[in-house]
Amino acid sequence: MKIVDETTGTRGLQTEVEMRDGVKLNTFVYLPARGGPRFPVILQRTPYGITAPQGQAVTDPAHGWLPSADAPMRGSILRGWKAIAARGYAAVYQDTRGRYASGGEDRVYADDAHDGYDTLEWIAAQPWSNQRVGMSGSSAGATTTLAAASTRHPSLRAFFAQVGGSSIYDDVVCEGQSIEMERLWLWVSKNIPGLSPSHKHAAMRQAGATEAMMEASRQAAGACYDRLEAASHAVPPFIHSKDWMHLPLTQHPDFTMWQPFLDEIITHPTPDGFRAAHNFRRTIDIPGFHATTWYDIFLTSVMAAFQEIQARTGTQKLWIGPNAHYFIYQPQFWPRDPYFEWFDHHLKEVKSGLIDEPAVFYSPRAWVEDEASYTPDDWRHADRWPPAGTTVQRLYLTGDGCLGEAPGGEPRTYRYDPRQPNPTLGGRNMLISAGQVDQRPAQALPHYGLIYTGDVLNRDLTLAGEVQVTLHAGSDCPDTDFIAKLIEVMPDGRNMLLMDGVTRAMYRESILDPANPQPQPLEPGGVYAVTVGLGDIHHTVRAGSRLQVDIVSSNFPRRARNTNSGHAVLANDGEADIRVAANTVYHSAATPSF
């Protein structure tokens, strides 16, 4: 132990915590100067480094990560050890396996459940722990938190998780059984510098590579990241970039040497044992605080975690604010900071009004243009989601390109060429532009898809809850993607994206029933029911606007391109596997789309 904060006398130490397989993980412990000798504990595990500057002095707790004064809410580690120790908690930070100063190989959440359990077991045995532990984290730190919570360690009493995945493959990587591409490519390439020496040596052995080859690959990955990021600023973005359009997705020439687990991530097209092992929410039974934003890439996963665990326990809270993934790190996002209210109640038995508040607290505005001047003074409480008073409304897609109260009309067909995809413009993205973005540049492209436009609204219409699109559709290819967008057509002519979702047609049944993972290829002339989930929203469409639904087959690189090949593992497809599809949507009363 050494004094790491002369002002308060907070003590810190560095140690290596041994996991069940002998791998040792770099860990910092911070103890309050007063009280004890045993303290309640807040544990945070992150792949992003536990020191500041990131990746420097990686075994010195005096350099333990702290939020900067001008961004106190930022980071995968929340609130910082100084604030945690000042409240009378022991703070524990840990580099996850294969990252920075920890041993082992990074396998992107595959080991975080048992590593989390083993770390909790170690904490419970320490003389400074009173065996009342909370976990917290944001984004990747939220996922490691949920992973550990899934193991039901008896010392873990509560968690605080924001903007992270609770079933990372079913909800995010393979949403709709498509492949979520933008975050994977940018995130993997950007995070190669944080891989630990032990991970590097494991990757070298797998690739049969030399030090020189690894260094060349590291530099190539960095250069590729720069090109990928630059392509997001092109007009139109992404679709003319050789790096984004590269096939196959597996064995990526710039990423796979350093991160061979990437190929594992993208080669599970339907629910299986691998994906089930990453569904952390199914076994969580302790109080949890969930926070997200309406355009967070992990929104659907956070919502599912809250709904499922709340149904079992009745001990969950859900806060949802406006905008995209990173807005949650701004102080003006929060109506108040509930972090210590939550942990003081569950770890110290301090009475808190937060516990008696309704379970859901949300912003009625899904998107605000001016984040800097945003004031969270209009949030609303609800006992459940969606809030009481909502009613289900159905709008039919009709053969004349309208949205109406009844089905009808002839089928409509469009051409989808994977070599000419539609670019992603907004939505629930992480590392590319997100939110409500005008779709007209994409809609103007040849072979964009189908557009259905409703009447001008004569009064405001508030959307609150989950949105689904059900299609009766077909294709002349054995597989394709059906992507639905919900759009607000503004009086000034802008077509602003509200929501989007995807279903890979060949695996349409596995979305509704994960126990039915067998491919069901499309037959030419066949008509099939396809359900596309768009997620949840709270947004008011103003009088004078119109609703619009677009049906397309690409939204790139939010979704990897479906080659239409009918091959189970699309990630292995190359240019030669691409087929051009004629996709058809039906509208009759017998085969309605709505």
Side-chain angles (χ1 to χ4, degrees), residues 181-182 184-186 189 219-232 237-255 262 421 556-557 560-561 575:
M181 187 177 176
E182 64 94 357
L184 282 179
W185 259 230
L186 291 170
S189 56
Q219 293 186 20
C224 186
Y225 173 86
D226 291 340
R227 296 192 301 271
L228 290 167
E229 202 282 328
S232 68
F238 312 116
I239 60 175
H240 299 303
S241 164
K242 292 181 179 178
D243 292 285
W244 279 115
M245 297 283 282
H246 176 81
L247 292 177
L249 302 181
T250 53
Q251 292 296 305
H252 193 286
D254 296 324
F255 306 157
L262 177 61
F556 180 79
R561 294 171 291 159
E575 289 286 336

mmCIF file of all heavy atoms in Angstrom, residues 181-182 184-186 189 219-232 237-255 262 421 556-557 560-561 575:
data_model
loop_
_atom_site.group_PDB
_atom_site.id
_atom_site.type_symbol
_atom_site.label_atom_id
_atom_site.label_comp_id
_atom_site.label_asym_id
_atom_site.label_seq_id
_atom_site.Cartn_x
_atom_site.Cartn_y
_atom_site.Cartn_z
ATOM 1 N N MET A 181 -21.552 -4.269 -38.669
ATOM 2 C CA MET A 181 -20.187 -4.173 -39.182
ATOM 3 C C MET A 181 -19.425 -2.932 -38.716
ATOM 4 O O MET A 181 -18.251 -3.010 -38.395
ATOM 5 C CB MET A 181 -20.227 -4.200 -40.707
ATOM 6 C CG MET A 181 -18.858 -4.267 -41.367
ATOM 7 S SD MET A 181 -19.020 -4.376 -43.149
ATOM 8 C CE MET A 181 -17.297 -4.313 -43.633
ATOM 9 N N GLU A 182 -20.095 -1.787 -38.657
ATOM 10 C CA GLU A 182 -19.338 -0.538 -38.459
ATOM 11 C C GLU A 182 -18.558 -0.554 -37.159
ATOM 12 O O GLU A 182 -17.379 -0.192 -37.131
ATOM 13 C CB GLU A 182 -20.277 0.677 -38.525
ATOM 14 C CG GLU A 182 -21.349 0.763 -37.436
ATOM 15 C CD GLU A 182 -20.962 1.604 -36.223
ATOM 16 O OE1 GLU A 182 -19.824 2.104 -36.160
ATOM 17 O OE2 GLU A 182 -21.812 1.735 -35.311
ATOM 18 N N LEU A 184 -17.644 -3.210 -35.360
ATOM 19 C CA LEU A 184 -16.634 -4.266 -35.341
ATOM 20 C C LEU A 184 -15.356 -3.818 -36.033
ATOM 21 O O LEU A 184 -14.259 -3.924 -35.486
ATOM 22 C CB LEU A 184 -17.170 -5.531 -36.005
ATOM 23 C CG LEU A 184 -18.123 -6.394 -35.173
ATOM 24 C CD1 LEU A 184 -18.587 -7.589 -35.994
ATOM 25 C CD2 LEU A 184 -17.451 -6.862 -33.889
ATOM 26 N N TRP A 185 -15.494 -3.320 -37.270
ATOM 27 C CA TRP A 185 -14.290 -2.972 -38.030
ATOM 28 C C TRP A 185 -13.530 -1.817 -37.375
ATOM 29 O O TRP A 185 -12.317 -1.876 -37.206
ATOM 30 C CB TRP A 185 -14.682 -2.631 -39.464
ATOM 31 C CG TRP A 185 -14.439 -3.749 -40.429
ATOM 32 C CD1 TRP A 185 -13.783 -3.671 -41.630
ATOM 33 C CD2 TRP A 185 -14.806 -5.124 -40.280
ATOM 34 N NE1 TRP A 185 -13.747 -4.905 -42.238
ATOM 35 C CE2 TRP A 185 -14.361 -5.821 -41.425
ATOM 36 C CE3 TRP A 185 -15.468 -5.845 -39.307
ATOM 37 C CZ2 TRP A 185 -14.555 -7.178 -41.607
ATOM 38 C CZ3 TRP A 185 -15.677 -7.204 -39.483
ATOM 39 C CH2 TRP A 185 -15.217 -7.845 -40.610
ATOM 40 N N LEU A 186 -14.238 -0.783 -37.003
ATOM 41 C CA LEU A 186 -13.568 0.366 -36.404
ATOM 42 C C LEU A 186 -13.086 0.054 -34.993
ATOM 43 O O LEU A 186 -11.983 0.443 -34.596
ATOM 44 C CB LEU A 186 -14.511 1.568 -36.386
ATOM 45 C CG LEU A 186 -14.836 2.154 -37.767
ATOM 46 C CD1 LEU A 186 -15.961 3.168 -37.657
ATOM 47 C CD2 LEU A 186 -13.611 2.809 -38.393
ATOM 48 N N SER A 189 -9.951 -2.492 -35.029
ATOM 49 C CA SER A 189 -8.714 -1.868 -35.507
ATOM 50 C C SER A 189 -8.218 -0.800 -34.542
ATOM 51 O O SER A 189 -7.011 -0.668 -34.310
ATOM 52 C CB SER A 189 -8.928 -1.276 -36.903
ATOM 53 O OG SER A 189 -10.005 -0.356 -36.926
ATOM 54 N N GLN A 219 0.907 -1.767 -37.857
ATOM 55 C CA GLN A 219 0.901 -0.530 -38.621
ATOM 56 C C GLN A 219 -0.173 -0.556 -39.707
ATOM 57 O O GLN A 219 -0.841 0.445 -39.967
ATOM 58 C CB GLN A 219 2.277 -0.294 -39.229
ATOM 59 C CG GLN A 219 3.357 -0.011 -38.201
ATOM 60 C CD GLN A 219 4.685 0.361 -38.826
ATOM 61 O OE1 GLN A 219 4.747 0.769 -39.984
ATOM 62 N NE2 GLN A 219 5.770 0.223 -38.059
ATOM 63 N N ALA A 220 -0.353 -1.723 -40.334
ATOM 64 C CA ALA A 220 -1.369 -1.843 -41.377
ATOM 65 C C ALA A 220 -2.769 -1.654 -40.812
ATOM 66 O O ALA A 220 -3.629 -1.021 -41.438
ATOM 67 C CB ALA A 220 -1.257 -3.199 -42.068
ATOM 68 N N ALA A 221 -3.009 -2.188 -39.613
ATOM 69 C CA ALA A 221 -4.317 -2.023 -38.987
ATOM 70 C C ALA A 221 -4.592 -0.562 -38.671
ATOM 71 O O ALA A 221 -5.704 -0.067 -38.870
ATOM 72 C CB ALA A 221 -4.394 -2.860 -37.715
ATOM 73 N N GLY A 222 -3.570 0.150 -38.187
ATOM 74 C CA GLY A 222 -3.746 1.568 -37.911
ATOM 75 C C GLY A 222 -4.035 2.370 -39.167
ATOM 76 O O GLY A 222 -4.902 3.253 -39.171
ATOM 77 N N ALA A 223 -3.324 2.048 -40.243
ATOM 78 C CA ALA A 223 -3.564 2.749 -41.511
ATOM 79 C C ALA A 223 -4.947 2.426 -42.053
ATOM 80 O O ALA A 223 -5.632 3.299 -42.607
ATOM 81 C CB ALA A 223 -2.489 2.362 -42.516
ATOM 82 N N CYS A 224 -5.378 1.166 -41.897
ATOM 83 C CA CYS A 224 -6.708 0.780 -42.352
ATOM 84 C C CYS A 224 -7.777 1.532 -41.569
ATOM 85 O O CYS A 224 -8.763 1.998 -42.145
ATOM 86 C CB CYS A 224 -6.893 -0.725 -42.222
ATOM 87 S SG CYS A 224 -8.446 -1.331 -42.905
ATOM 88 N N TYR A 225 -7.595 1.655 -40.254
ATOM 89 C CA TYR A 225 -8.548 2.420 -39.452
ATOM 90 C C TYR A 225 -8.673 3.848 -39.973
ATOM 91 O O TYR A 225 -9.781 4.381 -40.113
ATOM 92 C CB TYR A 225 -8.132 2.446 -37.985
ATOM 93 C CG TYR A 225 -8.996 3.366 -37.151
ATOM 94 C CD1 TYR A 225 -10.184 2.905 -36.613
ATOM 95 C CD2 TYR A 225 -8.634 4.695 -36.936
ATOM 96 C CE1 TYR A 225 -10.999 3.745 -35.868
ATOM 97 C CE2 TYR A 225 -9.443 5.537 -36.194
ATOM 98 C CZ TYR A 225 -10.627 5.063 -35.659
ATOM 99 O OH TYR A 225 -11.437 5.907 -34.934
ATOM 100 N N ASP A 226 -7.549 4.476 -40.285
ATOM 101 C CA ASP A 226 -7.580 5.852 -40.788
ATOM 102 C C ASP A 226 -8.367 5.939 -42.093
ATOM 103 O O ASP A 226 -9.136 6.883 -42.307
ATOM 104 C CB ASP A 226 -6.157 6.372 -41.000
ATOM 105 C CG ASP A 226 -5.402 6.578 -39.693
ATOM 106 O OD1 ASP A 226 -6.064 6.690 -38.633
ATOM 107 O OD2 ASP A 226 -4.155 6.626 -39.728
ATOM 108 N N ARG A 227 -8.190 4.944 -42.972
ATOM 109 C CA ARG A 227 -8.927 4.954 -44.241
ATOM 110 C C ARG A 227 -10.419 4.708 -44.026
ATOM 111 O O ARG A 227 -11.264 5.343 -44.661
ATOM 112 C CB ARG A 227 -8.352 3.917 -45.200
ATOM 113 C CG ARG A 227 -6.910 4.192 -45.640
ATOM 114 C CD ARG A 227 -6.501 3.301 -46.793
ATOM 115 N NE ARG A 227 -6.582 1.878 -46.483
ATOM 116 C CZ ARG A 227 -5.601 1.156 -45.955
ATOM 117 N NH1 ARG A 227 -4.438 1.735 -45.641
ATOM 118 N NH2 ARG A 227 -5.755 -0.142 -45.725
ATOM 119 N N LEU A 228 -10.743 3.785 -43.125
ATOM 120 C CA LEU A 228 -12.147 3.517 -42.815
ATOM 121 C C LEU A 228 -12.823 4.765 -42.253
ATOM 122 O O LEU A 228 -13.946 5.115 -42.643
ATOM 123 C CB LEU A 228 -12.252 2.375 -41.808
ATOM 124 C CG LEU A 228 -11.885 0.975 -42.295
ATOM 125 C CD1 LEU A 228 -11.742 0.032 -41.109
ATOM 126 C CD2 LEU A 228 -12.924 0.438 -43.275
ATOM 127 N N GLU A 229 -12.142 5.424 -41.348
ATOM 128 C CA GLU A 229 -12.720 6.620 -40.733
ATOM 129 C C GLU A 229 -12.871 7.731 -41.762
ATOM 130 O O GLU A 229 -13.900 8.431 -41.790
ATOM 131 C CB GLU A 229 -11.838 7.058 -39.568
ATOM 132 C CG GLU A 229 -12.539 7.916 -38.536
ATOM 133 C CD GLU A 229 -12.701 9.367 -38.973
ATOM 134 O OE1 GLU A 229 -11.836 9.864 -39.696
ATOM 135 O OE2 GLU A 229 -13.703 9.989 -38.568
ATOM 136 N N ALA A 230 -11.878 7.896 -42.628
ATOM 137 C CA ALA A 230 -11.950 8.940 -43.650
ATOM 138 C C ALA A 230 -13.121 8.701 -44.600
ATOM 139 O O ALA A 230 -13.769 9.654 -45.050
ATOM 140 C CB ALA A 230 -10.637 9.002 -44.429
ATOM 141 N N ALA A 231 -13.408 7.428 -44.883
ATOM 142 C CA ALA A 231 -14.491 7.106 -45.817
ATOM 143 C C ALA A 231 -15.854 7.500 -45.262
ATOM 144 O O ALA A 231 -16.814 7.664 -46.027
ATOM 145 C CB ALA A 231 -14.472 5.621 -46.153
ATOM 146 N N SER A 232 -15.953 7.664 -43.957
ATOM 147 C CA SER A 232 -17.232 8.079 -43.377
ATOM 148 C C SER A 232 -17.560 9.526 -43.719
ATOM 149 O O SER A 232 -18.711 9.953 -43.583
ATOM 150 C CB SER A 232 -17.215 7.896 -41.856
ATOM 151 O OG SER A 232 -16.316 8.801 -41.235
ATOM 152 N N PRO A 237 -20.995 8.477 -48.239
ATOM 153 C CA PRO A 237 -20.003 7.808 -47.391
ATOM 154 C C PRO A 237 -19.944 6.300 -47.644
ATOM 155 O O PRO A 237 -20.917 5.691 -48.104
ATOM 156 C CB PRO A 237 -20.507 8.102 -45.975
ATOM 157 C CG PRO A 237 -21.991 8.275 -46.135
ATOM 158 C CD PRO A 237 -22.184 8.902 -47.480
ATOM 159 N N PHE A 238 -18.818 5.718 -47.377
ATOM 160 C CA PHE A 238 -18.581 4.274 -47.236
ATOM 161 C C PHE A 238 -18.568 3.471 -48.534
ATOM 162 O O PHE A 238 -17.710 2.603 -48.722
ATOM 163 C CB PHE A 238 -19.621 3.625 -46.286
ATOM 164 C CG PHE A 238 -19.819 4.344 -45.003
ATOM 165 C CD1 PHE A 238 -21.038 4.913 -44.679
ATOM 166 C CD2 PHE A 238 -18.784 4.467 -44.092
ATOM 167 C CE1 PHE A 238 -21.223 5.582 -43.492
ATOM 168 C CE2 PHE A 238 -18.957 5.136 -42.891
ATOM 169 C CZ PHE A 238 -20.189 5.695 -42.592
ATOM 170 N N ILE A 239 -19.520 3.677 -49.403
ATOM 171 C CA ILE A 239 -19.811 2.683 -50.444
ATOM 172 C C ILE A 239 -18.785 2.662 -51.572
ATOM 173 O O ILE A 239 -18.800 1.740 -52.388
ATOM 174 C CB ILE A 239 -21.233 2.870 -51.025
ATOM 175 C CG1 ILE A 239 -21.399 4.259 -51.656
ATOM 176 C CG2 ILE A 239 -22.273 2.647 -49.938
ATOM 177 C CD1 ILE A 239 -22.752 4.445 -52.343
ATOM 178 N N HIS A 240 -17.885 3.651 -51.622
ATOM 179 C CA HIS A 240 -16.818 3.633 -52.627
ATOM 180 C C HIS A 240 -15.453 3.346 -51.995
ATOM 181 O O HIS A 240 -14.427 3.513 -52.654
ATOM 182 C CB HIS A 240 -16.788 4.956 -53.399
ATOM 183 C CG HIS A 240 -18.056 5.233 -54.152
ATOM 184 N ND1 HIS A 240 -18.563 4.366 -55.097
ATOM 185 C CD2 HIS A 240 -18.925 6.271 -54.084
ATOM 186 C CE1 HIS A 240 -19.682 4.861 -55.583
ATOM 187 N NE2 HIS A 240 -19.931 6.013 -54.984
ATOM 188 N N SER A 241 -15.470 2.904 -50.736
ATOM 189 C CA SER A 241 -14.232 2.597 -50.019
ATOM 190 C C SER A 241 -13.874 1.134 -50.218
ATOM 191 O O SER A 241 -14.644 0.238 -49.855
ATOM 192 C CB SER A 241 -14.404 2.890 -48.525
ATOM 193 O OG SER A 241 -13.386 2.267 -47.768
ATOM 194 N N LYS A 242 -12.691 0.848 -50.760
ATOM 195 C CA LYS A 242 -12.247 -0.532 -50.927
ATOM 196 C C LYS A 242 -12.099 -1.230 -49.583
ATOM 197 O O LYS A 242 -12.320 -2.446 -49.474
ATOM 198 C CB LYS A 242 -10.927 -0.567 -51.692
ATOM 199 C CG LYS A 242 -11.033 -0.134 -53.154
ATOM 200 C CD LYS A 242 -9.678 -0.217 -53.854
ATOM 201 C CE LYS A 242 -9.799 0.204 -55.311
ATOM 202 N NZ LYS A 242 -8.477 0.164 -55.997
ATOM 203 N N ASP A 243 -11.740 -0.470 -48.546
ATOM 204 C CA ASP A 243 -11.569 -1.086 -47.229
ATOM 205 C C ASP A 243 -12.911 -1.514 -46.635
ATOM 206 O O ASP A 243 -13.030 -2.610 -46.085
ATOM 207 C CB ASP A 243 -10.864 -0.107 -46.289
ATOM 208 C CG ASP A 243 -9.420 0.127 -46.701
ATOM 209 O OD1 ASP A 243 -8.597 -0.766 -46.465
ATOM 210 O OD2 ASP A 243 -9.136 1.182 -47.286
ATOM 211 N N TRP A 244 -13.921 -0.658 -46.731
ATOM 212 C CA TRP A 244 -15.233 -1.043 -46.228
ATOM 213 C C TRP A 244 -15.832 -2.171 -47.070
ATOM 214 O O TRP A 244 -16.490 -3.069 -46.538
ATOM 215 C CB TRP A 244 -16.189 0.151 -46.230
ATOM 216 C CG TRP A 244 -16.043 1.068 -45.057
ATOM 217 C CD1 TRP A 244 -15.629 2.367 -45.075
ATOM 218 C CD2 TRP A 244 -16.324 0.769 -43.688
ATOM 219 N NE1 TRP A 244 -15.629 2.895 -43.808
ATOM 220 C CE2 TRP A 244 -16.046 1.938 -42.940
ATOM 221 C CE3 TRP A 244 -16.773 -0.364 -43.022
ATOM 222 C CZ2 TRP A 244 -16.218 1.995 -41.556
ATOM 223 C CZ3 TRP A 244 -16.951 -0.308 -41.643
ATOM 224 C CH2 TRP A 244 -16.671 0.864 -40.920
ATOM 225 N N MET A 245 -15.609 -2.144 -48.372
ATOM 226 C CA MET A 245 -16.251 -3.106 -49.278
ATOM 227 C C MET A 245 -15.482 -4.420 -49.397
ATOM 228 O O MET A 245 -15.904 -5.327 -50.116
ATOM 229 C CB MET A 245 -16.405 -2.470 -50.660
ATOM 230 C CG MET A 245 -17.310 -1.239 -50.700
ATOM 231 S SD MET A 245 -19.061 -1.644 -50.643
ATOM 232 C CE MET A 245 -19.318 -2.157 -52.350
ATOM 233 N N HIS A 246 -14.377 -4.557 -48.680
ATOM 234 C CA HIS A 246 -13.532 -5.742 -48.817
ATOM 235 C C HIS A 246 -14.282 -7.027 -48.451
ATOM 236 O O HIS A 246 -14.992 -7.088 -47.440
ATOM 237 C CB HIS A 246 -12.301 -5.609 -47.918
ATOM 238 C CG HIS A 246 -11.422 -6.821 -47.909
ATOM 239 N ND1 HIS A 246 -10.497 -7.074 -48.900
ATOM 240 C CD2 HIS A 246 -11.340 -7.865 -47.042
ATOM 241 C CE1 HIS A 246 -9.880 -8.215 -48.635
ATOM 242 N NE2 HIS A 246 -10.376 -8.711 -47.516
ATOM 243 N N LEU A 247 -14.146 -8.038 -49.278
ATOM 244 C CA LEU A 247 -14.652 -9.386 -49.005
ATOM 245 C C LEU A 247 -13.519 -10.383 -49.192
ATOM 246 O O LEU A 247 -12.625 -10.154 -50.006
ATOM 247 C CB LEU A 247 -15.813 -9.723 -49.957
ATOM 248 C CG LEU A 247 -17.117 -8.939 -49.777
ATOM 249 C CD1 LEU A 247 -18.122 -9.362 -50.844
ATOM 250 C CD2 LEU A 247 -17.709 -9.131 -48.387
ATOM 251 N N PRO A 248 -13.547 -11.509 -48.478
ATOM 252 C CA PRO A 248 -14.520 -11.861 -47.438
ATOM 253 C C PRO A 248 -14.279 -11.092 -46.146
ATOM 254 O O PRO A 248 -13.227 -10.476 -45.963
ATOM 255 C CB PRO A 248 -14.283 -13.358 -47.243
ATOM 256 C CG PRO A 248 -12.826 -13.530 -47.550
ATOM 257 C CD PRO A 248 -12.541 -12.575 -48.674
ATOM 258 N N LEU A 249 -15.255 -11.176 -45.258
ATOM 259 C CA LEU A 249 -15.100 -10.524 -43.965
ATOM 260 C C LEU A 249 -14.118 -11.281 -43.075
ATOM 261 O O LEU A 249 -13.420 -10.668 -42.262
ATOM 262 C CB LEU A 249 -16.463 -10.409 -43.266
ATOM 263 C CG LEU A 249 -17.556 -9.654 -44.024
ATOM 264 C CD1 LEU A 249 -18.830 -9.608 -43.186
ATOM 265 C CD2 LEU A 249 -17.109 -8.251 -44.403
ATOM 266 N N THR A 250 -14.072 -12.595 -43.210
ATOM 267 C CA THR A 250 -13.125 -13.387 -42.422
ATOM 268 C C THR A 250 -11.712 -13.242 -42.976
ATOM 269 O O THR A 250 -11.509 -12.834 -44.123
ATOM 270 C CB THR A 250 -13.531 -14.868 -42.425
ATOM 271 O OG1 THR A 250 -13.703 -15.303 -43.775
ATOM 272 C CG2 THR A 250 -14.822 -15.089 -41.649
ATOM 273 N N GLN A 251 -10.751 -13.596 -42.142
ATOM 274 C CA GLN A 251 -9.336 -13.531 -42.516
ATOM 275 C C GLN A 251 -8.957 -12.149 -43.060
ATOM 276 O O GLN A 251 -8.300 -12.016 -44.096
ATOM 277 C CB GLN A 251 -8.998 -14.624 -43.534
ATOM 278 C CG GLN A 251 -9.064 -16.030 -42.982
ATOM 279 C CD GLN A 251 -8.021 -16.258 -41.880
ATOM 280 O OE1 GLN A 251 -6.825 -16.048 -42.059
ATOM 281 N NE2 GLN A 251 -8.497 -16.701 -40.711
ATOM 282 N N HIS A 252 -9.394 -11.123 -42.345
ATOM 283 C CA HIS A 252 -9.117 -9.753 -42.792
ATOM 284 C C HIS A 252 -7.610 -9.526 -42.831
ATOM 285 O O HIS A 252 -6.901 -9.818 -41.857
ATOM 286 C CB HIS A 252 -9.778 -8.740 -41.852
ATOM 287 C CG HIS A 252 -9.803 -7.352 -42.404
ATOM 288 N ND1 HIS A 252 -8.676 -6.560 -42.463
ATOM 289 C CD2 HIS A 252 -10.803 -6.622 -42.941
ATOM 290 C CE1 HIS A 252 -8.991 -5.398 -42.991
ATOM 291 N NE2 HIS A 252 -10.280 -5.406 -43.292
ATOM 292 N N PRO A 253 -7.075 -9.027 -43.923
ATOM 293 C CA PRO A 253 -5.614 -8.926 -44.052
ATOM 294 C C PRO A 253 -4.965 -7.986 -43.048
ATOM 295 O O PRO A 253 -3.769 -8.139 -42.741
ATOM 296 C CB PRO A 253 -5.427 -8.420 -45.491
ATOM 297 C CG PRO A 253 -6.729 -7.775 -45.852
ATOM 298 C CD PRO A 253 -7.779 -8.555 -45.136
ATOM 299 N N ASP A 254 -5.712 -7.025 -42.510
ATOM 300 C CA ASP A 254 -5.116 -6.065 -41.586
ATOM 301 C C ASP A 254 -5.461 -6.323 -40.123
ATOM 302 O O ASP A 254 -4.791 -5.789 -39.234
ATOM 303 C CB ASP A 254 -5.546 -4.643 -41.958
ATOM 304 C CG ASP A 254 -5.037 -4.225 -43.325
ATOM 305 O OD1 ASP A 254 -3.902 -4.616 -43.678
ATOM 306 O OD2 ASP A 254 -5.775 -3.536 -44.055
ATOM 307 N N PHE A 255 -6.505 -7.102 -39.837
ATOM 308 C CA PHE A 255 -6.970 -7.245 -38.455
ATOM 309 C C PHE A 255 -6.734 -8.627 -37.864
ATOM 310 O O PHE A 255 -6.503 -8.760 -36.664
ATOM 311 C CB PHE A 255 -8.481 -6.954 -38.351
ATOM 312 C CG PHE A 255 -8.913 -5.637 -38.899
ATOM 313 C CD1 PHE A 255 -10.218 -5.437 -39.310
ATOM 314 C CD2 PHE A 255 -8.027 -4.577 -39.005
ATOM 315 C CE1 PHE A 255 -10.643 -4.222 -39.809
ATOM 316 C CE2 PHE A 255 -8.434 -3.349 -39.504
ATOM 317 C CZ PHE A 255 -9.746 -3.172 -39.914
ATOM 318 N N LEU A 262 -11.787 -12.210 -34.076
ATOM 319 C CA LEU A 262 -12.746 -11.529 -34.943
ATOM 320 C C LEU A 262 -13.474 -12.520 -35.841
ATOM 321 O O LEU A 262 -14.681 -12.403 -36.069
ATOM 322 C CB LEU A 262 -12.040 -10.460 -35.783
ATOM 323 C CG LEU A 262 -12.908 -9.708 -36.799
ATOM 324 C CD1 LEU A 262 -14.042 -8.962 -36.106
ATOM 325 C CD2 LEU A 262 -12.056 -8.724 -37.602
ATOM 326 N N PRO A 421 -24.403 -0.921 -52.608
ATOM 327 C CA PRO A 421 -25.252 -0.822 -51.408
ATOM 328 C C PRO A 421 -25.665 0.617 -51.115
ATOM 329 O O PRO A 421 -25.065 1.580 -51.616
ATOM 330 C CB PRO A 421 -24.344 -1.360 -50.315
ATOM 331 C CG PRO A 421 -22.962 -0.988 -50.764
ATOM 332 C CD PRO A 421 -22.988 -1.138 -52.271
ATOM 333 N N PHE A 556 -25.395 0.097 -45.302
ATOM 334 C CA PHE A 556 -23.985 -0.272 -45.204
ATOM 335 C C PHE A 556 -23.122 0.909 -44.787
ATOM 336 O O PHE A 556 -23.264 1.994 -45.350
ATOM 337 C CB PHE A 556 -23.532 -0.797 -46.577
ATOM 338 C CG PHE A 556 -22.092 -1.229 -46.624
ATOM 339 C CD1 PHE A 556 -21.704 -2.449 -46.116
ATOM 340 C CD2 PHE A 556 -21.129 -0.406 -47.175
ATOM 341 C CE1 PHE A 556 -20.375 -2.839 -46.155
ATOM 342 C CE2 PHE A 556 -19.802 -0.781 -47.217
ATOM 343 C CZ PHE A 556 -19.426 -2.010 -46.710
ATOM 344 N N PRO A 557 -22.278 0.752 -43.753
ATOM 345 C CA PRO A 557 -21.850 -0.484 -43.093
ATOM 346 C C PRO A 557 -22.507 -0.754 -41.740
ATOM 347 O O PRO A 557 -21.964 -1.541 -40.959
ATOM 348 C CB PRO A 557 -20.363 -0.248 -42.918
ATOM 349 C CG PRO A 557 -20.283 1.225 -42.605
ATOM 350 C CD PRO A 557 -21.356 1.864 -43.437
ATOM 351 N N ALA A 560 -23.448 -5.489 -42.500
ATOM 352 C CA ALA A 560 -22.646 -6.060 -43.579
ATOM 353 C C ALA A 560 -23.567 -6.442 -44.734
ATOM 354 O O ALA A 560 -24.728 -6.802 -44.537
ATOM 355 C CB ALA A 560 -21.883 -7.282 -43.080
ATOM 356 N N ARG A 561 -23.054 -6.381 -45.941
ATOM 357 C CA ARG A 561 -23.875 -6.701 -47.119
ATOM 358 C C ARG A 561 -24.227 -8.189 -47.157
ATOM 359 O O ARG A 561 -23.363 -9.039 -46.983
ATOM 360 C CB ARG A 561 -23.118 -6.337 -48.391
ATOM 361 C CG ARG A 561 -22.866 -4.857 -48.571
ATOM 362 C CD ARG A 561 -21.920 -4.627 -49.727
ATOM 363 N NE ARG A 561 -20.571 -5.107 -49.416
ATOM 364 C CZ ARG A 561 -19.655 -5.413 -50.332
ATOM 365 N NH1 ARG A 561 -19.937 -5.308 -51.622
ATOM 366 N NH2 ARG A 561 -18.455 -5.826 -49.959
ATOM 367 N N GLU A 575 -16.224 -11.980 -53.530
ATOM 368 C CA GLU A 575 -16.868 -11.310 -54.665
ATOM 369 C C GLU A 575 -17.577 -12.314 -55.578
ATOM 370 O O GLU A 575 -18.649 -12.034 -56.120
ATOM 371 C CB GLU A 575 -15.825 -10.529 -55.462
ATOM 372 C CG GLU A 575 -15.296 -9.291 -54.761
ATOM 373 C CD GLU A 575 -16.313 -8.155 -54.743
ATOM 374 O OE1 GLU A 575 -17.202 -8.145 -55.626
ATOM 375 O OE2 GLU A 575 -16.227 -7.301 -53.847
#
